[in-house]
Structures are given as C-alpha cells and as structure tokens.
Amino acid sequence: MGFDIHRFQGVVDEELICSICQSVLEDPVQIQQCEHSYCNDCIREWLKRKRTCPQDCKEVSEKDLLPASRLLRNLLGRMIITCDFVDEGCSELLSLDALQSHVSTCVYNARRLQPCDQGCGEIIAKNEV
C-alpha cells in the first residue's frame, strides 16, 4: 500500500518498488533470510494468506521481518514526491522524508488543525470551520 509511482520525479529504481502492490515502498521491511523488501502493510497482509516470500517462495513468518536497511530508507527518503494534496492545488515538491511534516501543515489539507476564525479559541479542522 505504497506510494503511487507517478507522484515521483524521475525514474524510480525497481529495487524501490514493492512487488506486492507495485508502488514505491512505504514503511519498508525486509525478510531476514532473503533480504527482499516490501511495504510493511503489504507483506503482513500477504503472510496472513501465504507463508512464503512473494519473490522466491521460501517459507517466511512475521518474526522473520526486519526494518529495511538504512541505505534503502535513505534512498527512499531523498526521493522527490508531490504533496498528498496535489489534486486540491498544492504544487509542492519535497523529499519523501519531509512529506509527513508538510502534509500536516499544508494549506490544502482540509483536516489541518487551525484556530477557529470566530475568535472562540477552539482549535478545529479546516473543513469544520
């Protein structure tokens, strides 16, 4: 349940794509024995149905999952992605590492918390104003 490949600038290396969802790795983990990497959510769902690695079919369990290597996480973090709210009008291009921080403050985020414009002091979501 990774990131849509079309949101990234440039060519995305195939090693950064989850072979289950065919998207860019999100919250990546790797299988200890074979070192294949997948989105955390994708491989955990996969292992509920099948107890094998999707790529080499070797037996795997959840205890065999490790956080992805620092190198992989660093490569992903430097990739340039569009904001989650590009369809609402945000034109920001930012590193994947900065995405979560940006999204929480993006002016196009309807769920962004802000002070009530009536002066009551309440902090409410933009779409509830």
Side-chain angles (χ1 to χ4, degrees):
M1 315 194 206
F3 298 100
D4 183 342
I5 196 169
H6 298 102
R7 290 182 58 193
F8 292 88
Q9 287 200 319
V11 177
V12 176
D13 188 290
E14 68 181 49
E15 295 296 319
L16 302 177
I17 297 179
C18 174
S19 64
I20 298 171
C21 68
Q22 296 299 304
S23 297
V24 175
L25 292 165
E26 181 175 4
D27 188 20
V29 295
Q30 67 184 40
I31 296 173
Q32 184 176 10
Q33 298 89 322
C34 61
E35 298 183 349
H36 290 127
S37 296
Y38 304 96
C39 299
N40 187 30
D41 289 345
C42 291
I43 191 63
R44 289 184 189 282
E45 282 298 314
W46 177 275
L47 292 176
K48 287 177 184 176
R49 295 184 307 277
K50 299 179 181 183
R51 305 298 283 173
T52 59
C53 172
Q55 291 181 359
D56 62 21
C57 298
K58 292 182 180 173
E59 192 171 319
V60 177
S61 72
E62 283 198 33
K63 68 176 176 49
D64 298 318
L65 300 178
L66 300 173
S69 70
R70 183 183 320 170
L71 175 62
L72 179 63
R73 287 181 282 126
N74 288 346
L75 289 171
L76 285 166
R78 288 193 295 262
M79 294 177 66
I80 303 300
I81 188 169
T82 59
C83 173
D84 290 356
F85 303 106
V86 67
D87 291 339
E88 285 79 14
C90 185
S91 60
E92 287 287 324
L93 293 172
L94 48 146
S95 69
L96 190 54
D97 274 346
L99 181 63
Q100 186 175 5
S101 175
H102 168 78
V103 164
S104 67
T105 61
C106 180
V107 298
Y108 295 94
N109 180 352
R111 293 181 307 254
R112 178 175 55 98
L113 297 178
Q114 64 183 41
C116 176
D117 61 0
Q118 301 297 315
C120 66
E122 288 285 321
I123 304 294
I124 57 176
K126 180 180 173 184
N127 61 347
E128 294 177 7
V129 173

